[in-house]
Amino acid sequence: MRKKLLIFNTLSSLIFQITTIICGFILPRLILQTFGSTTNGLVNSITQFLQIISFMELGVGAVVQSALYKPLVDKDNKLISKITVSARRFFKQLARILLAYIVLLTIFYPFVIKANYSWSYTAVLIISMSISSFAQYYFGIVDRLLLTADQHGFIQYNSQTITLILNTVACAVLINMGSSIQMVKLTTSVIYLFRPIYLHFYVNNHYSLDRKITYVGEPIKQKWNGVAQHISAVVLDGTDAIVLTLFSSLSNVSIYSVYFLVANGVTQLFISMTNGMQSLCGELWARRDAKKLIQIFGKFEWLIHTGTIFVFGCAGVLIVPFVKVYTNGINDANYIQPLFALVFIAANAGHCLRLPYNIMILAGGHYKQTQKSYIVAAIMNIVLSVLFVSKFGLIGVALGTLIAMVYQTVWMAVYNSKHFIKWPLAKFYKQIFVDFFTIIAGSISTITFVLTSVTYMGWILLAIEVTFIWGLVILIVNTLFYRDKVFDVLNSIRNRF
């Protein structure tokens, strides 16, 4: 059953991320064509400012999920009910703070941006975009955390996929009909309201929860110990556009958003294939099955590193050619930024390379023990991004994120080795060496590849060539250094077919 749930979660998450990537390319392109780069930059800037509200979640969501693993294993419905009621009270308070934040953002944000938009134009856009954020924290987040902790994340992934497709179709129709950007974003918010409502009814029908249960004391242990991890995640993932808004221009935000679409799409697609791992590791940790946990982690680390280098190696070669095709005909900003693209891709690759170590920390509930590293990484990212942006522009914010990611990945690997699952550091250093060796070999092999036709078909043909060469390099290098793991994967594939 455990294996079946892992497959369901992985496949549904993968389908959702593929749908997200496809839909994520359709709507921004329509917005760019119809409203221009500055409006696209405005939309993405507001999105990032609204996502700051998750900063106020203070990591409680991750702690709630960790707290649910053991009672779910023990089928302790009483404790599950206490945890969900406590979490719901917290998130209702957060929703009220969100409402106050939206009011302040609506009043002051229009005066901050460097663009010629009226106050009412920007204010209405903020309100239109904020409705779904409010609904998420007021209605749906606790039900989502419960489903994910119980390895039933596929329920929410499927609902996200459906609403995403409906939203893309509806917004495309509205844009082609000449609707305003405010109406387009309001439609998105209304459609996304259905998701938390559906999850609420599903949980009520499939779990024996007492939503009115009373309790003495706090049922969520370490409730505030996830603060540092959460702040770090928010800062590392969401501050670049805000730094550009405050210290650069909306045109640069728009350029950043296009590259973010590609890099984040690849990152989330990759992460989607690991979404079931935290719940699985959390269950094994709750059962104290150390032998099985270490066995799974060994395979997991190698697969993450190998997959990351392959996916982002290809992306490093293909991202600028794709942006050329994607922005063809849009001339109000310079979207061809090859150096920024490489640094940005490297930063997102760092995000994925730290996954096995971060997942183990979260699954084991080691929040308090690791919070110093997360705080240092967050401060490092903000300070370096602000310092670099004035001199290097787009490259500056990506460089700040890259340096913070490198620091955090190494720190997490060392922590896991010394204090958690006793994973030998020598294996980590060997894996990093193989990663760099693969990057050099793959880059040399594809350095002469160019886009011969600025069309999607031309890019697809280039992508096929690049993917084949990088796949061959990955296979050869890993056969040299990880022969047993390569043959395990090949045998698994052969046995399945």
Side-chain angles (χ1 to χ4, degrees):
M1 186 61 181
R2 183 191 297 163
K3 186 176 181 181
K4 185 180 293 185
L5 288 172
L6 180 62
I7 293 171
F8 282 164
N9 287 326
T10 302
L11 285 178
S12 59
S13 179
L14 186 61
I15 291 169
F16 168 61
Q17 292 303 334
I18 291 173
T19 307
T20 300
I21 292 171
I22 294 171
C23 295
F25 285 129
I26 294 171
L27 283 183
R29 171 68 187 184
L30 290 173
I31 291 172
L32 277 169
Q33 281 182 316
T34 308
F35 302 106
S37 292
T38 305
T39 300
N40 184 56
L42 177 65
V43 168
N44 282 277
S45 174
I46 293 171
T47 299
Q48 290 302 321
F49 271 90
L50 286 174
Q51 286 179 354
I52 281 185
I53 192 61
S54 63
F55 181 88
M56 294 183 213
E57 182 191 319
L58 299 175
V60 173
V63 177
V64 169
Q65 187 171 320
S66 295
L68 284 167
Y69 291 139
K70 193 171 191 316
L72 283 169
V73 168
D74 298 338
K75 300 187 185 304
D76 187 347
N77 289 326
K78 188 175 180 180
L79 182 53
I80 294 170
S81 297
K82 289 179 180 179
I83 292 171
T84 55
V85 167
S86 175
R88 196 174 302 279
R89 288 176 181 171
F90 172 82
F91 285 110
K92 282 189 176 181
Q93 290 293 333
L94 183 60
R96 295 185 184 104
I97 297 172
L98 171 59
L99 192 58
Y101 173 75
I102 291 168
V103 172
L104 293 174
L105 192 65
T106 303
I107 294 170
F108 295 109
Y109 178 86
F111 299 111
V112 174
I113 59 172
K114 301 172 183 176
N116 295 320
Y117 292 108
S118 68
W119 181 90
S120 59
Y121 180 96
T122 308
V124 173
L125 183 57
I126 292 171
I127 294 170
S128 299
M129 294 174 65
S130 63
I131 295 172
S132 59
S133 297
F134 181 82
Q136 172 185 330
Y137 286 102
Y138 198 79
F139 295 116
I141 193 167
V142 177
D143 296 321
R144 177 169 59 82
L145 292 169
L146 174 60
L147 289 169
T148 303
D150 197 28
Q151 299 186 59
H152 282 70
F154 60 91
I155 302 297
Q156 58 149 326
Y157 298 137
N158 291 339
S159 67
Q160 286 178 305
T161 300
I162 293 169
T163 52
L164 187 59
I165 293 171
L166 290 174
N167 173 66
T168 302
V169 173
C171 290
V173 171
L174 286 172
I175 290 173
N176 287 323
M177 289 172 60
S179 298
S180 67
I181 188 66
Q182 289 85 352
M183 179 57 69
V184 173
K185 289 301 175 181
L186 178 61
T187 301
T188 296
S189 288
V190 171
I191 290 174
Y192 284 170
L193 277 175
F194 289 102
R195 194 161 62 205
I197 293 171
Y198 165 71
L199 293 181
H200 186 74
F201 280 109
Y202 181 89
V203 168
N204 281 347
N205 290 328
H206 291 81
Y207 291 85
S208 301
L209 293 182
D210 181 358
R211 295 190 184 270
K212 296 181 180 180
I213 194 171
T214 57
Y215 53 86
V216 177
E218 177 53 64
I220 304 174
K221 306 302 180 185
Q222 299 192 86
K223 188 171 184 178
W224 302 109
N225 289 333
V227 173
Q229 287 84 342
H230 181 69
I231 290 174
S232 175
V234 171
V235 170
L236 290 172
D237 295 340
T239 58
D240 287 354
I242 293 172
V243 170
L244 289 170
T245 300
L246 297 176
F247 299 100
S248 188
S249 65
L250 288 180
S251 291
N252 271 343
V253 176
S254 181
I255 295 168
Y256 176 89
S257 71
V258 170
Y259 283 89
F260 181 82
L261 271 178
V262 180
N264 187 62
V266 174
T267 301
Q268 294 305 319
L269 183 63
F270 197 82
I271 290 174
S272 70
M273 293 184 281
T274 69
N275 276 339
M277 286 303 300
Q278 185 176 329
S279 299
L280 176 59
C281 291
E283 181 192 338
L284 292 172
W285 182 256
R287 294 181 186 279
R288 295 294 185 262
D289 191 347
K291 184 178 180 181
K292 184 69 174 177
L293 186 61
I294 292 172
Q295 180 186 358
I296 287 176
F297 181 82
K299 294 178 181 178
F300 185 44
E301 182 191 45
W302 175 75
L303 285 170
I304 290 293
H305 277 260
T306 305
T308 297
I309 298 306
F310 172 61
V311 170
F312 284 94
C314 294
V317 179
L318 295 169
I319 187 169
V320 172
F322 178 83
V323 171
K324 281 184 181 179
V325 177
Y326 187 74
T327 61
N328 189 27
I330 299 170
N331 303 312
D332 57 353
N334 180 19
Y335 285 88
I336 309 306
Q337 305 280 345
L339 185 55
F340 164 69
L342 288 177
V343 178
F344 193 54
I345 285 294
N348 279 268
H351 188 292
C352 291
L353 288 176
R354 70 181 187 144
L355 277 174
Y357 321 108
N358 191 48
I359 284 175
M360 286 306 309
I361 289 170
L362 298 180
H366 282 218
Y367 295 97
K368 186 176 182 179
Q369 302 93 318
T370 59
Q371 61 188 7
K372 182 179 177 180
S373 161
Y374 289 86
I375 292 170
V376 171
I379 294 173
M380 187 183 294
N381 185 56
I382 292 175
V383 172
L384 292 178
S385 294
V386 172
L387 287 175
F388 292 159
V389 70
S390 58
K391 188 173 183 179
F392 303 111
L394 286 164
I395 298 171
V397 293
L399 192 58
T401 304
L402 174 60
I403 294 171
M405 285 291 184
V406 170
Y407 159 77
Q408 198 173 50
T409 301
V410 175
W411 192 95
M412 285 180 178
V414 172
Y415 180 84
N416 272 273
S417 175
K418 289 183 177 180
H419 304 290
F420 202 44
I421 59 168
K422 310 298 182 182
W423 193 247
L425 269 179
K427 294 189 177 184
F428 171 72
Y429 293 135
K430 177 186 176 182
Q431 184 66 69
I432 293 298
F433 170 78
V434 173
D435 292 345
F436 276 106
F437 187 82
T438 306
I439 291 168
I440 293 168
S443 299
I444 292 172
S445 301
T446 54
I447 196 169
T448 58
F449 286 29
V450 294
L451 184 67
T452 55
S453 173
V454 187
T455 61
Y456 283 107
M457 182 54 68
W459 182 84
I460 290 171
L461 293 174
L462 176 64
I464 292 172
E465 294 177 15
V466 170
T467 302
F468 176 77
I469 295 299
W470 271 86
L472 192 61
V473 168
I474 290 283
L475 182 61
I476 292 171
V477 171
N478 279 275
T479 300
L480 289 173
F481 292 98
Y482 292 106
R483 187 181 183 88
D484 56 333
K485 288 184 171 63
V486 171
F487 278 97
D488 279 347
V489 171
L490 292 176
N491 286 333
S492 295
I493 295 172
R494 184 186 64 184
N495 291 337
R496 285 185 181 277
F497 289 96

